[in-house]
Amino acid sequence: MDDLQFRREVYADPKSATPEVVAAKKSDPAKLKFAQEVEALDKKITSALSVPVPDDLCQKLILRQSLASHQQLKRKKRLRIALAASITIAIGLTVNQLQFSHAYSSVGDYAIAHANHEAKYFSNNDEARVSLAALNKKMASFNGSFSQSLGDLMMAEFCRFDGMKSLHLVFRGKSSPVNIFVVPQSEHLSYRNTFNNKDYNGIVNSTQQSHVIVVGDKTEPLNQWQIKLQNSVRWST
């Protein structure tokens, strides 16, 4: 048996006991040594493959699979939370942009929109809750002050008017609340001295720094409010 054939036979079956293989081993020490080395390697491989399986291997595999599944669910949950947060932020930015964008072209439109929005929160029977001192503390932001009260003031809060910080006042009127807005001058908003729609009338007093806008229902004597404003508000430069 030649060397190549012998090696093929031994590789195929390290324990081969065919007459040809046995005869080759006896006649050639090199072939015998090669056969012994291959058989020894085969025993090592068999030994490595004969590691006993632990009794709890099944439970360990199930636990590992469960942990992997739990981690995957956690990653998906974090992804959903991150996605929800991104959507919330996007919605918030959109609402913010809409709120502070130039949605109206005139101070009259803006003032009526504000008055309509606030109408559900105030009635003419609400308590007067804002003092003259508290009002003037807010007016200081606009370099103005009231020398005297115009009447029962139910609210004085900062608001956004065409994206600008403004002051919104709600007074008790003749039959329904009267809204007064102190708004910085803006190049984005045009204005007329008077404006109206089917529910409200409005007037605008303008200075170099601000518009003072009065909005009331159709029965409200806005000219009287205008006179009181002119006599009561002082502006500083």
Side-chain angles (χ1 to χ4, degrees):
M1 176 181 286
D2 62 28
D3 188 63
L4 180 59
Q5 186 178 359
F6 177 79
R7 286 175 178 271
R8 287 176 176 173
E9 187 77 22
V10 172
Y11 276 135
D13 183 7
K15 296 181 180 180
S16 176
T18 62
E20 293 83 359
V21 172
V22 172
K25 288 178 182 180
K26 288 181 179 181
S27 63
D28 188 344
K31 287 185 175 65
L32 176 62
K33 182 179 181 182
F34 174 77
Q36 289 173 340
E37 289 176 349
V38 172
E39 186 174 358
L41 177 61
D42 184 65
K43 288 181 179 179
K44 289 182 180 179
I45 294 173
T46 302
S47 177
L49 295 175
S50 300
V51 176
V53 178
D55 294 336
D56 59 347
L57 179 62
C58 182
Q59 287 79 5
K60 288 182 178 178
L61 290 175
I62 292 174
L63 177 61
R64 180 178 296 179
Q65 185 177 9
S66 298
L67 290 174
S69 177
H70 178 65
Q71 291 297 327
Q72 187 175 12
L73 287 174
K74 284 178 65 178
R75 285 194 295 271
K76 288 182 178 179
K77 184 177 180 180
R78 287 197 295 267
L79 179 61
R80 287 196 296 267
I81 292 173
L83 181 60
S86 298
I87 292 172
T88 301
I89 291 171
I91 292 173
L93 290 174
T94 301
V95 171
N96 187 66
Q97 184 175 0
L98 289 174
Q99 181 180 0
F100 299 125
S101 66
H102 310 306
Y104 301 96
S105 60
S106 72
V107 294
D109 292 340
Y110 234 110
I112 287 175
H114 269 277
N116 276 327
H117 177 74
E118 296 295 338
K120 56 182 174 288
Y121 299 111
F122 294 96
S123 79
N124 220 37
N125 297 321
D126 288 348
E127 180 183 355
R129 291 170 290 200
V130 184
S131 67
L132 181 62
L135 169 60
N136 281 332
K137 186 175 181 180
K138 294 181 182 293
M139 278 291 290
S141 298
F142 304 92
N143 297 320
S145 65
F146 283 82
S147 60
Q148 59 184 351
S149 175
L150 302 186
D152 295 331
L153 181 55
M154 298 181 286
M155 187 197 81
E157 296 293 342
F158 293 119
C159 68
R160 289 287 173 178
F161 201 102
D162 190 44
M164 299 176 293
K165 179 181 178 182
S166 304
L167 183 60
H168 185 180
L169 312 177
V170 180
F171 286 91
R172 180 175 290 115
K174 180 179 178 181
S175 59
S176 64
V178 174
N179 294 267
I180 295 179
F181 302 93
V182 181
V183 181
Q185 290 278 5
S186 170
E187 62 182 14
H188 303 291
L189 291 174
S190 64
Y191 76 95
R192 293 179 299 172
N193 291 332
T194 62
F195 57 90
N196 63 80
N197 70 356
K198 64 183 181 65
D199 298 314
Y200 296 103
N201 289 328
I203 55 175
V204 181
N205 291 321
S206 295
T207 70
Q208 287 186 333
Q209 296 176 321
S210 303
H211 296 300
V212 181
I213 308 158
V214 185
V215 181
D217 67 24
K218 295 293 186 177
T219 67
E220 195 65 40
L222 297 189
N223 289 335
Q224 294 182 18
W225 285 92
Q226 187 176 34
I227 293 171
K228 288 193 289 186
L229 281 167
Q230 291 172 346
N231 293 334
S232 300
V233 181
R234 299 291 180 267
W235 304 98
S236 59
T237 57

